[in-house]
Amino acid sequence: MSGEAWQGSNTDGTAVNLEIPIAQFGRLLVSASDRKTFLDGEIDTLKDFAGAIALGYARFLDLKA
């Protein structure tokens, strides 16, 4: 994956947003209204999840081609 995960509050401050790059395919956006931040372990898990999405999507594109 390229780039680093980023997190911050939405514009009205009612939720925290976490964006994780998914290779060249875009970004995974996770939002939570019940907290102020995502923990490091949660971010690592979501990075792994984003990597799995990228791999699955790349394989799908290969099969489609």
Short mmCIF file of all heavy atoms in Angstrom, two decimals:
data_model
loop_
_atom_site.label_atom_id
_atom_site.label_comp_id
_atom_site.label_asym_id
_atom_site.label_seq_id
_atom_site.Cartn_x
_atom_site.Cartn_y
_atom_site.Cartn_z
N MET A 1 0.83 -1.18 0.00
CA MET A 1 0.00 0.00 0.00
C MET A 1 0.87 1.24 0.00
O MET A 1 1.93 1.27 0.61
CB MET A 1 -0.89 0.01 1.23
CG MET A 1 -2.07 -0.91 1.13
SD MET A 1 -3.22 -0.72 2.51
CE MET A 1 -2.23 -1.20 3.89
N SER A 2 0.39 2.26 -0.63
CA SER A 2 1.13 3.51 -0.63
C SER A 2 0.44 4.50 0.30
O SER A 2 -0.76 4.50 0.45
CB SER A 2 1.19 4.08 -2.05
OG SER A 2 -0.11 4.31 -2.52
N GLY A 3 1.23 5.34 0.94
CA GLY A 3 0.66 6.33 1.84
C GLY A 3 0.43 5.77 3.24
O GLY A 3 0.54 4.59 3.47
N GLU A 4 0.13 6.65 4.15
CA GLU A 4 -0.08 6.29 5.54
C GLU A 4 -1.54 6.49 5.92
O GLU A 4 -2.25 7.28 5.30
CB GLU A 4 0.80 7.16 6.44
CG GLU A 4 2.27 6.84 6.35
CD GLU A 4 2.59 5.44 6.85
OE1 GLU A 4 2.05 5.02 7.88
OE2 GLU A 4 3.38 4.76 6.16
N ALA A 5 -1.95 5.81 6.96
CA ALA A 5 -3.29 5.99 7.50
C ALA A 5 -3.39 7.40 8.07
O ALA A 5 -2.42 7.97 8.56
CB ALA A 5 -3.58 4.96 8.56
N TRP A 6 -4.57 7.97 8.03
CA TRP A 6 -4.82 9.31 8.55
C TRP A 6 -6.10 9.27 9.34
O TRP A 6 -7.07 8.62 8.94
CB TRP A 6 -4.95 10.31 7.40
CG TRP A 6 -5.38 11.68 7.86
CD1 TRP A 6 -4.55 12.70 8.24
CD2 TRP A 6 -6.71 12.17 8.00
NE1 TRP A 6 -5.30 13.79 8.62
CE2 TRP A 6 -6.63 13.49 8.48
CE3 TRP A 6 -7.96 11.63 7.79
CZ2 TRP A 6 -7.75 14.27 8.73
CZ3 TRP A 6 -9.08 12.40 8.04
CH2 TRP A 6 -8.96 13.71 8.50
N GLN A 7 -6.15 9.94 10.48
CA GLN A 7 -7.39 10.05 11.20
C GLN A 7 -7.58 11.47 11.70
O GLN A 7 -6.63 12.19 11.96
CB GLN A 7 -7.49 9.04 12.33
CG GLN A 7 -6.59 9.23 13.52
CD GLN A 7 -6.91 8.23 14.62
OE1 GLN A 7 -8.06 8.06 14.99
NE2 GLN A 7 -5.89 7.56 15.10
N GLY A 8 -8.83 11.86 11.80
CA GLY A 8 -9.19 13.19 12.29
C GLY A 8 -10.69 13.27 12.47
O GLY A 8 -11.43 12.36 12.08
N SER A 9 -11.15 14.34 13.07
CA SER A 9 -12.58 14.52 13.31
C SER A 9 -13.27 15.03 12.05
O SER A 9 -12.66 15.70 11.22
CB SER A 9 -12.79 15.54 14.43
OG SER A 9 -12.24 15.06 15.63
N ASN A 10 -14.56 14.70 11.94
CA ASN A 10 -15.31 15.26 10.83
C ASN A 10 -15.54 16.74 11.08
O ASN A 10 -15.16 17.28 12.12
CB ASN A 10 -16.62 14.48 10.59
CG ASN A 10 -17.57 14.56 11.75
OD1 ASN A 10 -17.29 15.15 12.77
ND2 ASN A 10 -18.72 13.95 11.59
N THR A 11 -16.16 17.42 10.14
CA THR A 11 -16.24 18.88 10.21
C THR A 11 -17.01 19.40 11.42
O THR A 11 -16.69 20.46 11.92
CB THR A 11 -16.87 19.45 8.92
OG1 THR A 11 -18.14 18.82 8.71
CG2 THR A 11 -15.97 19.22 7.74
N ASP A 12 -18.00 18.66 11.91
CA ASP A 12 -18.74 19.15 13.08
C ASP A 12 -18.25 18.54 14.39
O ASP A 12 -18.80 18.79 15.45
CB ASP A 12 -20.24 18.95 12.92
CG ASP A 12 -20.65 17.49 12.80
OD1 ASP A 12 -19.78 16.61 12.95
OD2 ASP A 12 -21.84 17.24 12.57
N GLY A 13 -17.18 17.72 14.34
CA GLY A 13 -16.57 17.18 15.54
C GLY A 13 -17.35 16.08 16.23
O GLY A 13 -17.03 15.71 17.35
N THR A 14 -18.35 15.51 15.57
CA THR A 14 -19.17 14.48 16.22
C THR A 14 -18.67 13.07 15.98
O THR A 14 -19.21 12.13 16.55
CB THR A 14 -20.63 14.57 15.74
OG1 THR A 14 -20.66 14.40 14.34
CG2 THR A 14 -21.25 15.90 16.12
N ALA A 15 -17.67 12.89 15.13
CA ALA A 15 -17.16 11.55 14.84
C ALA A 15 -15.68 11.65 14.46
O ALA A 15 -15.20 12.69 14.05
CB ALA A 15 -17.95 10.92 13.70
N VAL A 16 -15.00 10.53 14.62
CA VAL A 16 -13.62 10.43 14.17
C VAL A 16 -13.61 9.62 12.87
O VAL A 16 -14.36 8.66 12.73
CB VAL A 16 -12.70 9.80 15.24
CG1 VAL A 16 -13.11 8.40 15.58
CG2 VAL A 16 -11.25 9.84 14.81
N ASN A 17 -12.81 10.05 11.92
CA ASN A 17 -12.68 9.37 10.64
C ASN A 17 -11.28 8.81 10.51
O ASN A 17 -10.31 9.46 10.90
CB ASN A 17 -12.94 10.33 9.47
CG ASN A 17 -14.34 10.88 9.51
OD1 ASN A 17 -15.30 10.17 9.76
ND2 ASN A 17 -14.47 12.17 9.29
N LEU A 18 -11.18 7.62 9.96
CA LEU A 18 -9.90 6.98 9.69
C LEU A 18 -9.87 6.63 8.22
O LEU A 18 -10.77 5.98 7.72
CB LEU A 18 -9.73 5.72 10.55
CG LEU A 18 -8.50 4.88 10.29
CD1 LEU A 18 -7.23 5.64 10.69
CD2 LEU A 18 -8.59 3.56 11.04
N GLU A 19 -8.84 7.10 7.51
CA GLU A 19 -8.66 6.78 6.10
C GLU A 19 -7.39 5.95 5.95
O GLU A 19 -6.34 6.32 6.45
CB GLU A 19 -8.53 8.04 5.25
CG GLU A 19 -9.80 8.84 5.18
CD GLU A 19 -9.68 10.03 4.24
OE1 GLU A 19 -8.69 10.12 3.49
OE2 GLU A 19 -10.59 10.87 4.27
N ILE A 20 -7.53 4.81 5.24
CA ILE A 20 -6.40 3.91 5.01
C ILE A 20 -6.27 3.70 3.51
O ILE A 20 -7.24 3.35 2.85
CB ILE A 20 -6.63 2.57 5.72
CG1 ILE A 20 -6.75 2.81 7.23
CG2 ILE A 20 -5.51 1.59 5.42
CD1 ILE A 20 -7.16 1.60 8.01
N PRO A 21 -5.07 3.92 2.94
CA PRO A 21 -4.88 3.69 1.51
C PRO A 21 -5.09 2.23 1.15
O PRO A 21 -4.72 1.33 1.90
CB PRO A 21 -3.45 4.11 1.25
CG PRO A 21 -2.84 4.41 2.55
CD PRO A 21 -3.86 4.34 3.61
N ILE A 22 -5.70 2.00 -0.01
CA ILE A 22 -5.87 0.65 -0.54
C ILE A 22 -5.14 0.60 -1.88
O ILE A 22 -5.73 0.75 -2.94
CB ILE A 22 -7.36 0.28 -0.73
CG1 ILE A 22 -8.11 0.40 0.59
CG2 ILE A 22 -7.49 -1.13 -1.28
CD1 ILE A 22 -9.57 0.05 0.49
N ALA A 23 -3.82 0.44 -1.79
CA ALA A 23 -2.95 0.38 -2.97
C ALA A 23 -3.32 1.51 -3.92
O ALA A 23 -3.54 2.64 -3.48
CB ALA A 23 -3.04 -1.00 -3.63
N GLN A 24 -3.40 1.21 -5.21
CA GLN A 24 -3.75 2.24 -6.19
C GLN A 24 -5.26 2.37 -6.38
O GLN A 24 -5.71 3.14 -7.21
CB GLN A 24 -3.08 1.92 -7.54
CG GLN A 24 -3.65 0.72 -8.26
CD GLN A 24 -3.00 -0.59 -7.86
OE1 GLN A 24 -2.36 -0.70 -6.82
NE2 GLN A 24 -3.17 -1.61 -8.67
N PHE A 25 -6.05 1.65 -5.57
CA PHE A 25 -7.49 1.60 -5.78
C PHE A 25 -8.27 2.67 -5.04
O PHE A 25 -9.46 2.83 -5.25
CB PHE A 25 -8.03 0.21 -5.38
CG PHE A 25 -7.34 -0.90 -6.12
CD1 PHE A 25 -6.58 -1.82 -5.43
CD2 PHE A 25 -7.46 -1.01 -7.49
CE1 PHE A 25 -5.94 -2.85 -6.11
CE2 PHE A 25 -6.81 -2.04 -8.18
CZ PHE A 25 -6.06 -2.95 -7.48
N GLY A 26 -7.65 3.38 -4.13
CA GLY A 26 -8.37 4.40 -3.39
C GLY A 26 -8.07 4.31 -1.90
O GLY A 26 -6.98 3.94 -1.50
N ARG A 27 -9.07 4.61 -1.09
CA ARG A 27 -8.89 4.63 0.36
C ARG A 27 -10.10 4.00 1.03
O ARG A 27 -11.22 4.17 0.57
CB ARG A 27 -8.69 6.05 0.86
CG ARG A 27 -7.47 6.72 0.23
CD ARG A 27 -7.26 8.13 0.71
NE ARG A 27 -6.79 8.22 2.07
CZ ARG A 27 -5.54 8.01 2.46
NH1 ARG A 27 -4.63 7.66 1.58
NH2 ARG A 27 -5.18 8.14 3.72
N LEU A 28 -9.85 3.32 2.14
CA LEU A 28 -10.90 2.79 3.00
C LEU A 28 -11.19 3.85 4.04
O LEU A 28 -10.29 4.33 4.72
CB LEU A 28 -10.41 1.50 3.68
CG LEU A 28 -11.32 0.90 4.75
CD1 LEU A 28 -12.61 0.39 4.13
CD2 LEU A 28 -10.59 -0.23 5.48
N LEU A 29 -12.46 4.26 4.17
CA LEU A 29 -12.86 5.26 5.15
C LEU A 29 -13.73 4.59 6.20
O LEU A 29 -14.73 3.96 5.87
CB LEU A 29 -13.62 6.40 4.48
CG LEU A 29 -14.25 7.43 5.41
CD1 LEU A 29 -13.18 8.16 6.21
CD2 LEU A 29 -15.09 8.41 4.63
N VAL A 30 -13.31 4.71 7.46
CA VAL A 30 -14.06 4.18 8.59
C VAL A 30 -14.38 5.36 9.49
O VAL A 30 -13.50 6.17 9.80
CB VAL A 30 -13.25 3.12 9.36
CG1 VAL A 30 -14.05 2.59 10.53
CG2 VAL A 30 -12.82 2.00 8.44
N SER A 31 -15.63 5.47 9.91
CA SER A 31 -16.06 6.57 10.76
C SER A 31 -16.72 6.00 12.01
O SER A 31 -17.45 5.02 11.94
CB SER A 31 -17.05 7.46 9.99
OG SER A 31 -17.44 8.55 10.79
N ALA A 32 -16.45 6.61 13.16
CA ALA A 32 -17.06 6.16 14.42
C ALA A 32 -17.54 7.39 15.20
O ALA A 32 -16.78 8.33 15.40
CB ALA A 32 -16.05 5.37 15.24
N SER A 33 -18.79 7.34 15.63
CA SER A 33 -19.34 8.47 16.38
C SER A 33 -19.25 8.27 17.89
O SER A 33 -19.59 9.17 18.65
CB SER A 33 -20.79 8.71 15.97
OG SER A 33 -21.57 7.55 16.22
N ASP A 34 -18.80 7.10 18.33
CA ASP A 34 -18.78 6.80 19.76
C ASP A 34 -17.39 6.91 20.39
O ASP A 34 -17.16 6.40 21.47
CB ASP A 34 -19.35 5.40 20.01
CG ASP A 34 -18.54 4.31 19.31
OD1 ASP A 34 -17.75 4.63 18.40
OD2 ASP A 34 -18.72 3.14 19.67
N ARG A 35 -16.46 7.56 19.71
CA ARG A 35 -15.10 7.68 20.22
C ARG A 35 -14.42 8.91 19.65
O ARG A 35 -14.91 9.53 18.72
CB ARG A 35 -14.29 6.44 19.86
CG ARG A 35 -14.24 6.25 18.33
CD ARG A 35 -13.43 5.08 17.85
NE ARG A 35 -14.03 3.84 18.24
CZ ARG A 35 -13.34 2.74 18.46
NH1 ARG A 35 -12.04 2.74 18.32
NH2 ARG A 35 -13.94 1.62 18.79
N LYS A 36 -13.26 9.23 20.20
CA LYS A 36 -12.48 10.38 19.74
C LYS A 36 -11.28 9.97 18.89
O LYS A 36 -10.70 10.79 18.20
CB LYS A 36 -11.98 11.20 20.93
CG LYS A 36 -13.08 11.78 21.78
CD LYS A 36 -13.78 12.88 21.06
CE LYS A 36 -14.83 13.51 21.96
NZ LYS A 36 -15.80 14.29 21.25
N THR A 37 -10.88 8.68 18.95
CA THR A 37 -9.72 8.21 18.20
C THR A 37 -9.80 6.70 18.01
O THR A 37 -10.53 6.02 18.72
CB THR A 37 -8.40 8.59 18.93
OG1 THR A 37 -7.30 8.27 18.10
CG2 THR A 37 -8.27 7.90 20.25
N PHE A 38 -9.07 6.21 17.03
CA PHE A 38 -8.89 4.77 16.84
C PHE A 38 -7.58 4.37 17.51
O PHE A 38 -6.59 5.09 17.41
CB PHE A 38 -8.86 4.41 15.36
CG PHE A 38 -10.20 4.45 14.70
CD1 PHE A 38 -10.64 5.61 14.07
CD2 PHE A 38 -11.03 3.35 14.69
CE1 PHE A 38 -11.88 5.66 13.46
CE2 PHE A 38 -12.28 3.38 14.08
CZ PHE A 38 -12.71 4.54 13.47
N LEU A 39 -7.57 3.24 18.17
CA LEU A 39 -6.37 2.74 18.83
C LEU A 39 -5.40 2.16 17.81
O LEU A 39 -5.82 1.74 16.71
CB LEU A 39 -6.74 1.67 19.86
CG LEU A 39 -7.72 2.11 20.95
CD1 LEU A 39 -8.10 0.92 21.83
CD2 LEU A 39 -7.13 3.24 21.78
N ASP A 40 -4.12 2.10 18.15
CA ASP A 40 -3.09 1.59 17.23
C ASP A 40 -3.42 0.17 16.76
O ASP A 40 -3.26 -0.14 15.58
CB ASP A 40 -1.71 1.60 17.89
CG ASP A 40 -1.16 3.01 18.05
OD1 ASP A 40 -1.65 3.94 17.38
OD2 ASP A 40 -0.23 3.18 18.86
N GLY A 41 -3.87 -0.69 17.66
CA GLY A 41 -4.22 -2.06 17.27
C GLY A 41 -5.37 -2.11 16.29
O GLY A 41 -5.39 -2.94 15.37
N GLU A 42 -6.33 -1.22 16.47
CA GLU A 42 -7.47 -1.15 15.54
C GLU A 42 -7.01 -0.67 14.17
O GLU A 42 -7.44 -1.19 13.14
CB GLU A 42 -8.55 -0.22 16.09
CG GLU A 42 -9.19 -0.72 17.36
CD GLU A 42 -10.02 0.32 18.05
OE1 GLU A 42 -9.71 1.53 18.00
OE2 GLU A 42 -11.02 -0.09 18.68
N ILE A 43 -6.11 0.30 14.16
CA ILE A 43 -5.59 0.81 12.89
C ILE A 43 -4.80 -0.29 12.18
O ILE A 43 -4.96 -0.48 10.96
CB ILE A 43 -4.72 2.06 13.12
CG1 ILE A 43 -5.60 3.21 13.61
CG2 ILE A 43 -3.98 2.46 11.85
CD1 ILE A 43 -4.83 4.43 14.07
N ASP A 44 -4.00 -1.04 12.90
CA ASP A 44 -3.24 -2.14 12.29
C ASP A 44 -4.18 -3.18 11.69
O ASP A 44 -3.95 -3.67 10.58
CB ASP A 44 -2.32 -2.80 13.32
CG ASP A 44 -1.16 -1.91 13.72
OD1 ASP A 44 -0.85 -0.95 12.99
OD2 ASP A 44 -0.57 -2.17 14.80
N THR A 45 -5.24 -3.53 12.41
CA THR A 45 -6.22 -4.49 11.90
C THR A 45 -6.89 -3.96 10.64
O THR A 45 -7.06 -4.71 9.65
CB THR A 45 -7.28 -4.80 12.97
OG1 THR A 45 -6.63 -5.38 14.10
CG2 THR A 45 -8.35 -5.73 12.45
N LEU A 46 -7.25 -2.69 10.64
CA LEU A 46 -7.90 -2.11 9.45
C LEU A 46 -6.92 -1.99 8.29
O LEU A 46 -7.33 -2.12 7.12
CB LEU A 46 -8.52 -0.76 9.80
CG LEU A 46 -9.75 -0.86 10.70
CD1 LEU A 46 -10.13 0.49 11.27
CD2 LEU A 46 -10.93 -1.46 9.93
N LYS A 47 -5.63 -1.79 8.56
CA LYS A 47 -4.63 -1.81 7.49
C LYS A 47 -4.55 -3.19 6.86
O LYS A 47 -4.47 -3.33 5.64
CB LYS A 47 -3.26 -1.41 8.02
CG LYS A 47 -3.08 0.06 8.28
CD LYS A 47 -1.67 0.32 8.81
CE LYS A 47 -1.41 1.76 9.09
NZ LYS A 47 -0.05 1.99 9.61
N ASP A 48 -4.57 -4.23 7.69
CA ASP A 48 -4.57 -5.61 7.17
C ASP A 48 -5.82 -5.85 6.32
O ASP A 48 -5.75 -6.48 5.26
CB ASP A 48 -4.51 -6.62 8.31
CG ASP A 48 -3.17 -6.64 9.03
OD1 ASP A 48 -2.18 -6.10 8.47
OD2 ASP A 48 -3.12 -7.19 10.15
N PHE A 49 -6.96 -5.37 6.80
CA PHE A 49 -8.22 -5.52 6.07
C PHE A 49 -8.15 -4.80 4.71
O PHE A 49 -8.55 -5.34 3.68
CB PHE A 49 -9.37 -4.97 6.91
CG PHE A 49 -10.71 -5.09 6.27
CD1 PHE A 49 -11.29 -6.33 6.04
CD2 PHE A 49 -11.42 -3.95 5.92
CE1 PHE A 49 -12.54 -6.44 5.46
CE2 PHE A 49 -12.68 -4.05 5.35
CZ PHE A 49 -13.24 -5.30 5.11
N ALA A 50 -7.60 -3.59 4.71
CA ALA A 50 -7.45 -2.84 3.46
C ALA A 50 -6.53 -3.58 2.49
O ALA A 50 -6.78 -3.61 1.28
CB ALA A 50 -6.92 -1.43 3.74
N GLY A 51 -5.46 -4.19 3.01
CA GLY A 51 -4.56 -4.98 2.16
C GLY A 51 -5.28 -6.17 1.54
O GLY A 51 -5.06 -6.50 0.37
N ALA A 52 -6.14 -6.82 2.33
CA ALA A 52 -6.91 -7.95 1.80
C ALA A 52 -7.89 -7.50 0.72
O ALA A 52 -8.07 -8.19 -0.29
CB ALA A 52 -7.65 -8.66 2.94
N ILE A 53 -8.50 -6.35 0.91
CA ILE A 53 -9.40 -5.80 -0.10
C ILE A 53 -8.63 -5.54 -1.39
O ILE A 53 -9.09 -5.88 -2.49
CB ILE A 53 -10.07 -4.50 0.40
CG1 ILE A 53 -11.06 -4.82 1.51
CG2 ILE A 53 -10.78 -3.78 -0.75
CD1 ILE A 53 -11.61 -3.58 2.20
N ALA A 54 -7.45 -4.92 -1.28
CA ALA A 54 -6.64 -4.61 -2.46
C ALA A 54 -6.26 -5.88 -3.20
O ALA A 54 -6.34 -5.94 -4.43
CB ALA A 54 -5.39 -3.83 -2.06
N LEU A 55 -5.83 -6.90 -2.46
CA LEU A 55 -5.44 -8.16 -3.09
C LEU A 55 -6.63 -8.81 -3.78
O LEU A 55 -6.52 -9.25 -4.93
CB LEU A 55 -4.85 -9.10 -2.04
CG LEU A 55 -4.42 -10.48 -2.54
CD1 LEU A 55 -3.33 -10.35 -3.60
CD2 LEU A 55 -3.95 -11.32 -1.37
N GLY A 56 -7.76 -8.86 -3.11
CA GLY A 56 -8.96 -9.45 -3.71
C GLY A 56 -9.41 -8.70 -4.95
O GLY A 56 -9.78 -9.30 -5.95
N TYR A 57 -9.36 -7.38 -4.89
CA TYR A 57 -9.79 -6.58 -6.04
C TYR A 57 -8.81 -6.75 -7.20
O TYR A 57 -9.23 -6.86 -8.36
CB TYR A 57 -9.92 -5.11 -5.65
CG TYR A 57 -10.59 -4.28 -6.72
CD1 TYR A 57 -11.89 -4.55 -7.11
CD2 TYR A 57 -9.92 -3.24 -7.34
CE1 TYR A 57 -12.50 -3.80 -8.11
CE2 TYR A 57 -10.52 -2.49 -8.32
CZ TYR A 57 -11.81 -2.76 -8.70
OH TYR A 57 -12.41 -2.01 -9.68
N ALA A 58 -7.51 -6.81 -6.92
CA ALA A 58 -6.52 -7.02 -7.98
C ALA A 58 -6.75 -8.37 -8.65
O ALA A 58 -6.67 -8.49 -9.88
CB ALA A 58 -5.11 -6.94 -7.41
N ARG A 59 -7.02 -9.39 -7.85
CA ARG A 59 -7.31 -10.72 -8.44
C ARG A 59 -8.58 -10.71 -9.27
O ARG A 59 -8.65 -11.33 -10.31
CB ARG A 59 -7.36 -11.77 -7.34
CG ARG A 59 -5.99 -12.05 -6.78
CD ARG A 59 -5.98 -13.20 -5.86
NE ARG A 59 -4.61 -13.47 -5.43
CZ ARG A 59 -4.30 -14.21 -4.40
NH1 ARG A 59 -5.23 -14.77 -3.68
NH2 ARG A 59 -3.05 -14.41 -4.09
N PHE A 60 -9.59 -9.99 -8.78
CA PHE A 60 -10.83 -9.86 -9.55
C PHE A 60 -10.55 -9.21 -10.90
O PHE A 60 -11.05 -9.67 -11.94
CB PHE A 60 -11.85 -9.02 -8.76
CG PHE A 60 -13.00 -8.54 -9.59
CD1 PHE A 60 -14.02 -9.40 -9.94
CD2 PHE A 60 -13.06 -7.22 -10.03
CE1 PHE A 60 -15.08 -8.96 -10.72
CE2 PHE A 60 -14.11 -6.77 -10.79
CZ PHE A 60 -15.12 -7.66 -11.16
N LEU A 61 -9.75 -8.15 -10.91
CA LEU A 61 -9.43 -7.48 -12.17
C LEU A 61 -8.66 -8.40 -13.11
O LEU A 61 -8.88 -8.38 -14.33
CB LEU A 61 -8.64 -6.20 -11.91
CG LEU A 61 -9.42 -5.07 -11.20
CD1 LEU A 61 -8.49 -3.90 -10.90
CD2 LEU A 61 -10.62 -4.63 -12.01
N ASP A 62 -7.75 -9.22 -12.56
CA ASP A 62 -7.00 -10.18 -13.38
C ASP A 62 -7.95 -11.19 -14.02
O ASP A 62 -7.82 -11.50 -15.20
CB ASP A 62 -5.95 -10.91 -12.54
CG ASP A 62 -4.79 -10.03 -12.16
OD1 ASP A 62 -4.61 -8.96 -12.78
OD2 ASP A 62 -4.05 -10.40 -11.22
N LEU A 63 -8.89 -11.70 -13.23
CA LEU A 63 -9.85 -12.67 -13.76
C LEU A 63 -10.76 -12.04 -14.81
O LEU A 63 -11.10 -12.67 -15.80
CB LEU A 63 -10.68 -13.29 -12.64
CG LEU A 63 -9.94 -14.24 -11.72
CD1 LEU A 63 -10.82 -14.60 -10.52
CD2 LEU A 63 -9.51 -15.48 -12.47
N LYS A 64 -11.16 -10.82 -14.56
CA LYS A 64 -12.03 -10.11 -15.49
C LYS A 64 -11.33 -9.87 -16.82
O LYS A 64 -11.96 -9.93 -17.88
CB LYS A 64 -12.46 -8.78 -14.86
CG LYS A 64 -13.53 -8.06 -15.61
CD LYS A 64 -13.95 -6.83 -14.84
CE LYS A 64 -14.91 -6.02 -15.68
NZ LYS A 64 -15.27 -4.75 -15.04
N ALA A 65 -10.01 -9.61 -16.76
CA ALA A 65 -9.25 -9.34 -17.99
C ALA A 65 -9.06 -10.65 -18.73
O ALA A 65 -8.99 -10.76 -19.91
CB ALA A 65 -7.91 -8.74 -17.65
#
